[in-house]
């Protein structure tokens, strides 16, 4: 059902808005409206514009929360915003300082590791590079060369007297080494080595000692940096652990203040000559919450609340908040997919739950497969909170019931007796009963449309609509005549039939001018040619009559899928060789899984189609706006 709402006007001193939000409004679910839009062009009212002073510090607190674990059962104390800001900021700056130093150490270690990787191939060179830099007449280059080019280089070096290559290390792809060359031939020899794809490497200026000594020094520095990083982590952990509860309290308090600050976007502000500035909040609460809220603030002189009567011309329409028993909650998904009911419209959740599961059971009647859907859907709903799984579980109950009525257990038709009938024993009877069942549901949808029209005070729709009283009379009388004919009873007199069918159809034909007359909306006929109006009205009337027939016949699929299910399981049993007396159980199991999954999906979609197109379209608009609670109620 749709929760009954109250529109509240909440006012108080401007500086007191945070206290009111935290002390009172946080306890209730309230849907705020934009106060400036609701107040319109009233003078001396302006938007409540302020910068969120808690936002930056709260974001810093979010960073700290990554290192803080909240244990169940721990109680957090309320903390003033200023104290919370100071505590979070001090802790954040301290941790940022530590983290900055840790980043420096990590960057330094990465540089050292890169240096060690380059140096590792020259560790066998027992000579100091810095001393080689002091050579006056000889230049050297360190680097690597592809191994295939190195073999070619060896032959060439034997014919050249101006260079010497010292091999330091090698693998399957490269040879690392140092070559020496006199200054006067350096340009010529460098070009020669380059032609053999020699790749020169450069060592940092801080290089000290032999490559092995430099390698070990870098390794020692990395170890020292890692130890310092560990000490810094322990220091930060101890700092946060020492103030853990205080920091958690500060973060929680600041979170509340930060979130509540956003309410200013929806508030208005006004100034009085003597009392200063006041805030104005407009919001919807359920009647129960509104009553409790009024009682709680009764003795608080700084908070004033006025309830606006629903009968008044409200500037905004009430939001829709559904309140249904837990067993019906999953079916709210189908309602939301189509559209939430308007505030004064009937909630179709119960209707969907009953009709959807019932039709699903008719179309998918099997005891074993139904119980499988019940158990599987229930477990998924409990573990994953999937609303669709909850719907499947409830639909599976009706599948089980109709399985007993059909005498079907995992496709076996002889294990249990049919308490009612087997669909395949009378195919035409099954299809005709499905159509009759559809006619009953359409009549029920028309009755619901009448109720919704009364609620919305749409008297034209109530009396002259194709799903209103006129449509109900026409369709109901037609169904009665068909029933009398089918059972061999005499039909009503021709005059009665003409009146009972002609008058409703005439009312539907002239529904627009008649509705304007009843609702007193000015001219009876819309602007334009009256001839074109009647032409369009006749076409629409033909479409209405045709829709009565097509919508009813559409329910033949309910019986068709009951037959289809029995037929598919018959195919599975034939493939498994059941008639031979020694069935293949693997085929039976796989066949049941396939039919349950495939046909269950198709039946679920087809039933939803019947709900939306054949029934919802007759009585339900789904034009409501959702109730969006600013704060979820704390239990």
């Amino acid at each position: 059902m749709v929760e009954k709402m109250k529109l509240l006007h909440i006012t108080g001193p401007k500086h007191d808005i945070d206290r009111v939000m935290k002390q009172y409004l946080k306890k209730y679910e309230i849907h705020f409206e934009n106060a400036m839009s609701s107040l319109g062009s009233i003078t001396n009212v302006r938007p409540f514009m302020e910068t969120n002073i808690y936002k930056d510090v709260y974001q810093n607190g979010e960073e700290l929360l990554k290192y803080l674990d909240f244990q169940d059962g721990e109680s957090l104390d309320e903390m003033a915003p200023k104290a919370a800001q100071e505590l979070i900021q001090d802790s954040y700056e301290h941790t940022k300082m530590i983290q900055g130093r840790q980043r420096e150490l990590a960057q330094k270690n990465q540089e050292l590791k890169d240096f060690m990787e380059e140096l590792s191939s020259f560790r066998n060179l027992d000579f100091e590079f810095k001393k080689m830099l002091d050579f006056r007449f000889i230049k050297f280059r360190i680097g690597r060369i592809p191994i295939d080019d190195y073999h070619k280089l060896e032959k060439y070096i034997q014919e050249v007297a101006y260079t010497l290559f010292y091999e330091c290390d090698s693998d399957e792809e490269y040879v690392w080494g140092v070559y020496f060359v006199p200054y006067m031939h350096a340009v010529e020899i460098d070009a020669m080595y380059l032609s053999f794809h020699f790749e020169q490497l450069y060592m940092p200026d801080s290089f000290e000692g032999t490559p092995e000594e430099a390698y070990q020094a870098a390794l020692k520095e990395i170890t020292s940096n890692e130890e310092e990083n560990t000490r810094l982590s322990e220091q930060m952990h101890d700092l946060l652990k020492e103030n853990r509860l205080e920091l958690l309290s500060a973060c929680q308090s600041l979170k509340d203040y930060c979130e509540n600050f956003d309410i200013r976007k929806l508030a208005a502000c006004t100034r009085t000559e003597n009392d200063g500035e006041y805030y104005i909040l407009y919001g919807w609460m359920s009647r129960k919450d509104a009553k409790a809220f009024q009682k709680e603030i009764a003795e608080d002189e700084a908070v004033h609340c006025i309830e606006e009567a629903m009968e008044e011309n409200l500037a905004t329409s009430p939001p829709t908040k559904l309140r249904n028993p837990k067993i019906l909650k999953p079916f709210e998904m189908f309602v939301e997919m189509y559209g939430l009911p308007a505030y004064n419209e009937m909630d179709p959740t119960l209707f969907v739950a009953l009709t959807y599961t019932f039709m699903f059971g008719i179309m998918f009647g099997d005891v074993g497969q139904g119980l499988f859907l019940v158990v599987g859907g229930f477990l998924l709903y409990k573990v994953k909170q999937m609303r669709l799984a909850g719907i499947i579980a409830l639909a599976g109950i009706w599948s089980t019931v109709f399985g007993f009525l059909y005498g079907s257990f995992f496709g076996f038709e002889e294990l249990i007796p049919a308490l009612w009938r087997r669909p395949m024993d009378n195919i035409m009877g099954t299809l005709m009963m499905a159509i009759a069942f559809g006619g009953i549901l359409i009549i029920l949808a028309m009755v619901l449309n009448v109720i919704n029209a009364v609620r919305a005070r749409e008297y034209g729709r109530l009396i002259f609509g194709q799903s209103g009283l006129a449509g109900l009379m026409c369709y109901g009388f037609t169904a009665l005549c068909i029933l009398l004919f089918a059972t061999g009873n005499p039909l009503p007199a021709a005059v009665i039939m003409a009146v009972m069918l002609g008058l409703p159809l005439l009312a539907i034909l002239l529904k627009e001018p008649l509705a304007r007359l009843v609702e007193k909306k000015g001219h009876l006929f819309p602007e334009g040619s009256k001839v074109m109006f009647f032409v369009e009205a006749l076409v629409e009337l033909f479409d209405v009559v045709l829709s009565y027939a097509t919508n009813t016949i559409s329910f033949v699929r309910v019986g068709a899928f009951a037959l289809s299910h029995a037929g598919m399981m018959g195919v599975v049993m034939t493939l498994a060789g059941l008639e031979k007396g020694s069935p293949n159980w693997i085929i039976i199991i796989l066949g049941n899984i396939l039919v349950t999954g495939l046909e269950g999906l198709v039946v679920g979609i087809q039933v939803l189609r019947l709900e939306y197109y054949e029934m919802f379209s007759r009585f339900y608009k789904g034009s409501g706006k959702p109730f969006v609670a600013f704060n979820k109620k704390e239990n």
Side-chain angles (χ1 to χ4, degrees), residues 136 174 223 242 293 363 416 455 565 579:
R136 296 179 60 187
Y174 291 98
T223 303
E242 181 181 355
F293 174 68
M363 299 163 72
I416 58 176
R455 286 186 168 193
H565 180 74
E579 70 280 358

Side-chain angles (χ1 to χ4, degrees), residues 226-333:
E226 290 177 347
E227 291 175 353
E228 183 181 354
N229 184 66
T230 301
R231 288 194 301 272
L232 290 171
S233 296
E234 292 174 352
Q235 180 183 346
M236 185 170 66
H237 179 267
D238 293 340
L239 170 67
L240 297 176
K241 183 178 180 180
E242 181 181 355
N243 301 312
R244 190 175 70 85
L245 283 178
E246 290 82 357
L247 283 169
L248 286 171
S249 298
C251 290
Q252 182 60 47
S253 298
L254 216 57
K255 178 184 178 182
D256 293 338
Y257 281 108
C258 188
E259 291 178 349
N260 292 342
F261 205 95
D262 290 340
I263 200 60
R264 289 162 170 76
K265 298 176 183 177
L266 300 172
C269 192
T270 184
R271 172 180 288 277
T272 61
E273 294 182 1
N274 300 322
D275 298 329
E277 290 188 298
Y278 276 71
Y279 66 84
I280 303 174
L281 289 173
Y282 275 37
W284 295 95
M285 272 192 193
S286 66
R287 285 183 178 178
K288 181 180 177 181
D289 284 350
K291 184 177 180 181
F293 174 68
Q294 289 278 36
K295 184 177 179 180
E296 189 174 4
I297 66 170
E299 298 181 0
D300 193 333
E301 297 181 355
V303 186
H304 306 280
C305 180
I306 301 174
E307 293 184 5
E308 189 168 351
M310 293 299 297
E311 290 74 18
E312 297 177 10
N313 295 323
L314 301 178
T316 179
S317 58
T320 299
K321 181 182 181 184
L322 300 181
R323 179 169 61 88
N324 291 296
K326 281 189 176 181
I327 195 171
L328 299 181
K329 282 290 183 182
F331 293 92
E332 291 179 359
M333 180 181 74

